[in-house]
Amino acid sequence: MEGDQQSKGFSWRWPLLISAIFLNICIPNLILSYGVLWVQLASNEVPLWVGLAAPSSFLFVYGLTQCWFREAADSWGGPVGYRVMTATGLFIIILSLIICAFIPLYFQPVVYGILGGFGASLISTQVDAVLYETYDSRLGLVRGMCFTGQAVGLSLFPHILFVLTNIYGYVYSYIVLGGIMLQTLPAILLLKVDETKKYAYFSNYKELSQTLTCYKNEGIENLFGTELQLHSLTKKCWKSPSDDNLHRVDEFDCDDGNILETITPPPSPEEKRRNVFGVEILPEIPEESETDEISISELSLSVNKKRLSNAIKRFSTLGDNIDECITSQVRKDSLGNIEVNENTEIEVTYDTIEPITDIQTEKLFNSFGFRSRTTYTNLKRKFWIPSYKLYKAKRRFMYLICTINDTFLKPLTRSLSCGAFYPALLLNFTKLSLTVQTVLMPVIASRMHPNIPILEANFLISLQGFTWICFAICTPWLVQTKRSNYKYITVCGLAISTCACFVFLRAENLDLFSIGYVVAGFGYGIITSSWEKTAHELVGTRKWAKIHSTLETLSAALIALFCVGLSFVIGRDNGLQMSLLIIGVTMSAISLIWAIIVMVCLYKTKVKSYGLKRKWLV
């Protein structure tokens, strides 16, 4: 019933959905379509391994900062926080594009990758947080639409970058691209969580809400309980207790049980009377004549004189006693082993007491011993007693160490002790390696013999995006699929992507390249849509929250090391073909591992259970 109520009360919130899809069209394709810029960079006599620094640093920074930004999104959230942080990520991306237009060509890929990955990670975490808080019942379908937006961007952005580089040149195309990215700011302003969508939290606690209304004295005229009712102060008389009618019972019918006023006993004479404003009401004072006033004033004056004389006498006796204590002091001391009476008294008298004068104080301060002690104390204070700035620096350093420990080290130790973590890590690494392959394909097409023109290569990339869109149409079917069946879909995606790598490796003309792009589009779409749920089902829901951050950071580190290894191969003759071979062999090994895992799961869930059922039937 609750699910039906949620589905009936579900709202698509089209402005938010359109803004999320538009951001997924623009932001991820900064790296997916970077191959077009890489071709232009290589045409300016820059080595190929320099361009590989852009996708490697982008993916490394993106994966390393996802866990930080995802945990901080809860504290940044609110009606304004999501939009502010998303706009900050957008400005970081625009800043990186502007910086790339004014720095040497060798440093452009590094700046593009580091700042671009940082800003894209900040934007993606905020968009995911808004979608998770808004679309709770149809989140899978909404995320499928976002993946469709990435496929649409992969079809459009290569042509946009080609037009920019042809019209404005390679260097100034970064500035125009930054202006295009700035157009996503209106979509960011629509990222707002619906604050009124909090009725579900109170629907589960109806009994608690009813008790809360009782404490507010709302609607309790006919309710009998243990709550204390308020007094009706309309019949309260503030002049004298005898005229107070609050304790009197009105004339009512004994058969009617609805008594609205509280019956209280009459107040005691010692009780202080207060008016409506809380001020104490003094008792009535009888009027007095002038003669009475004079006698009262004389009496009070005589009493004060007596008190003053007694105080002076006390001070004089106290001063005499103090002088006697100073001149002669008597001390009772118990002597140890000497055999004397218990009450033996030893008199110690001080005839003269000499105070320390100013001259003696000055001599003490100017002495060498005092100066040496003060110098030692000051040095010790400087070295061992830190100042407030040093204390703040030390505390911030300790906070950073604790944050790194809680974010990376503890999840890493938990993840490495889990056996299902390693296949999930390989699966995430496969997705990132396919992203590197997508970036690398325009450069491979431009270095073939005969080479493919960049315009035709852009159409081939659009063909890959179109096949990704064709698979994304199956998103409603994927949402209705059981999570336990996602591993079969993922294995099919791994096999298709491996076939695409070897088709690219054997391609010598445009026809084989186009077939490879079609196959690669289907494989990349399958793995992108299903890898997370497959890893979630393999690891388990209880361990997924602890392993997810380590999965992203460790896979980002592995893809960075993988790209560093490819950089040594790309610079050689036929290095691009060799890099495709390395990616294909890696994909084959991962596909084989996951095929074995799926066969084992299939045996445990289907074949073994079927054999047990058959034995029971026999």
Side-chain angles (χ1 to χ4, degrees), residues 136-362:
D136 51 354
S137 60
R138 298 185 182 180
L139 184 61
L141 188 60
V142 171
R143 294 194 69 186
M145 293 180 182
C146 293
F147 290 141
T148 307
Q150 294 181 16
V152 172
L154 185 60
S155 301
L156 297 177
F157 259 76
H159 301 284
I160 295 174
L161 295 177
F162 177 73
V163 171
L164 292 180
T165 52
N166 283 339
I167 296 176
Y168 300 101
Y170 172 70
V171 176
Y172 295 104
S173 62
Y174 283 105
I175 299 176
V176 183
L177 182 61
I180 294 174
M181 289 292 109
L182 188 61
Q183 306 307 314
T184 59
L185 187 60
I188 290 174
L189 298 178
L190 297 175
L191 293 176
K192 185 179 179 181
V193 180
D194 191 5
E195 297 292 335
T196 60
K197 190 177 176 274
K198 293 183 179 180
Y199 60 90
Y201 297 103
F202 296 99
S203 62
N204 297 328
Y205 304 98
K206 293 181 180 179
E207 297 179 357
L208 180 61
S209 61
Q210 290 178 359
T211 56
L212 289 176
T213 55
C214 292
Y215 283 111
K216 295 180 181 179
N217 288 330
E218 296 175 358
I220 59 172
E221 286 82 8
N222 297 323
L223 181 64
F224 295 94
T226 59
E227 291 82 10
L228 181 62
Q229 299 183 10
L230 301 177
H231 294 296
S232 178
L233 299 178
T234 56
K235 301 177 182 180
K236 188 75 173 177
C237 183
W238 302 98
K239 291 183 179 181
S240 62
S242 61
D243 296 332
D244 191 3
N245 296 321
L246 184 62
H247 62 281
R248 298 180 181 178
V249 182
D250 295 338
E251 295 179 359
F252 62 93
D253 190 4
C254 295
D255 297 333
D256 189 9
N258 296 328
I259 303 173
L260 299 180
E261 282 78 14
T262 306
I263 301 175
T264 57
S268 60
E270 293 82 6
E271 183 182 359
K272 292 182 179 180
R273 313 292 295 175
R274 297 178 183 271
N275 61 5
V276 182
F277 303 100
V279 181
E280 295 182 2
I281 300 176
L282 300 175
E284 296 181 358
I285 301 174
E287 298 181 357
E288 299 176 354
S289 60
E290 296 180 356
T291 57
D292 295 334
E293 291 179 359
I294 294 172
S295 61
I296 291 172
S297 62
E298 290 178 354
L299 181 62
S300 62
L301 183 61
S302 63
V303 170
N304 291 332
K305 285 181 180 181
K306 289 181 180 179
R307 289 179 179 176
L308 183 60
S309 63
N310 291 330
I312 292 172
K313 289 179 181 179
R314 285 183 179 181
F315 278 117
S316 62
T317 56
L318 183 60
D320 296 336
N321 293 330
I322 290 174
D323 293 336
E324 290 178 359
C325 290
I326 292 174
T327 54
S328 61
Q329 294 184 2
V330 177
R331 181 170 63 91
K332 291 183 179 181
D333 192 3
S334 61
L335 299 177
N337 297 324
I338 302 173
E339 295 180 358
V340 293
N341 295 327
E342 294 181 357
N343 297 325
T344 304
E345 295 182 358
I346 299 175
E347 293 185 0
V348 181
T349 59
Y350 299 93
D351 297 333
T352 58
I353 298 176
E354 294 182 358
I356 299 176
T357 60
D358 295 337
I359 298 174
Q360 292 176 347
T361 304
E362 188 176 358

